[in-house]
Amino acid sequence: MTGDGTAAGQGPDLPPGQRPAGRWLASHYGKVPQVDGERWRLTVRGATADGGLTVLDRSLLARMEFVEVAAALHCVDRHSVTGLRWGGVRLADVVAAAPPEEGAHHVLLAASRGYSSAVLLEDLLAPDALLATHVDGQPLTREHGWPARVVLPHLYGFKAPKWIAEISYHHTAQQGYWEARGWHPRGRVALEERWAHQG
C-alpha cells in the first residue's frame, strides 16, 4: 500500500483493480477497417418505437449538441488510460432521435468487421455516455475508432465499440463478441465485473 491508502501501482483516482497505462495503445479485434468518414452511417434498428429503422448520417448528428466529457478508458485487463477528453454527441440524444419500444431494455452495439457488444439501455442513457468523434480536441484516428466510437466510462472498454455502425434494441439479453467468450454481461468498472462466472 502507498501512503494514501491506495494499492501500489494504482492511482488514487483509479477504480479498484486498475493501474495506470504508460500510454494509450490501440486495442481491437481484427484489422483496422478503412471506413469512409463521409459515407459513414449509424443504423438504429430492432425493437424500435416506430417498428422501423433509422439511419443517422454525419449531417444529422451535427445538428445535435456537441459535448465534451473528461473520462478515463478502463480496460478489462486492468490498465486505465486517464486524462482523456472525449467529444461527440450524447448517446441519450441518439436514443431520443430513434427510441426503442416499451420494454426493450437490451442493446447490441455492432461495429465494422463483425465486432459487437451487449449493454443495457440505461448504459446508453448515462450522462457521460457518448457517441464520440473526437478526443483531446482532435478527430479520432482510425486506430482509435474514426469516424465514431462509443464511450461508456462506467463500463470496461470492451463494451464500447470503435467504428460503431449499428445500434439494435431487444427485449432479451444479447451476447456480443466477448460476452459469448465468457466475459461479464454488464462489465461495470466500479464492481470489477470482468467474467461471466461473477454473476
Side-chain angles (χ1 to χ4, degrees), residues 1 36 52 55 69 74-75 77 79 85 93 96 108 117 121 125 143 159 167-168 172 187 197 199:
M1 300 292 284
D36 184 339
V55 179
V69 169
H74 303 294
C75 185
D77 75 358
H79 76 263
R85 191 176 81 258
D93 291 341
L108 194 67
S117 70
L121 179 63
L125 299 179
E143 291 76 15
K159 289 292 188 176
I167 296 173
S168 58
T172 57
H197 71 261

Side-chain angles (χ1 to χ4, degrees), residues 1 18 42 45 84-85 93-94 105 125 130 135 197:
M1 300 292 284
Q18 295 299 111
L42 177 64
R45 63 186 340 146
L84 299 173
R85 191 176 81 258
D93 291 341
V94 174
H105 301 303
L125 299 179
L130 291 187
V135 65
H197 71 261

Side-chain angles (χ1 to χ4, degrees), residues 185-196:
R186 189 72 190 278
R188 288 172 290 187
V189 178
L191 300 180
E192 294 196 74
E193 294 176 333
R194 304 174 191 277
W195 310 107

Side-chain angles (χ1 to χ4, degrees), residues 90-168:
R90 290 186 181 90
L91 280 164
D93 291 341
V94 174
V95 171
E101 67 183 12
E102 186 175 352
H105 301 303
H106 299 274
V107 182
L108 194 67
L109 304 173
S112 299
R113 300 192 63 86
Y115 185 82
S116 61
S117 70
V119 299
L120 295 179
L121 179 63
E122 67 183 82
D123 294 319
L124 302 189
L125 299 179
D128 56 358
L130 291 187
L131 178 67
T133 55
H134 290 68
V135 65
D136 295 335
Q138 299 296 320
L140 293 166
T141 63
R142 289 190 184 276
E143 291 76 15
H144 286 304
W146 172 260
R149 67 180 290 161
V150 172
V151 173
L152 301 170
H154 64 294
L155 303 182
Y156 288 115
F158 76 92
K159 289 292 188 176
K162 298 186 285 189
W163 316 299
I164 184 70
E166 182 180 285
I167 296 173
S168 58

Side-chain angles (χ1 to χ4, degrees), residues 15-55:
Q18 295 299 111
R19 60 183 181 272
R23 58 194 179 105
W24 188 19
L25 298 175
S27 176
H28 45 262
Y29 157 74
K31 296 180 179 179
V32 175
Q34 300 301 305
V35 180
D36 184 339
E38 294 303 316
R39 294 187 172 188
W40 175 83
R41 302 288 187 271
L42 177 64
T43 302
V44 184
R45 63 186 340 146
T48 57
D50 64 5
L53 61 84
T54 300
V55 179

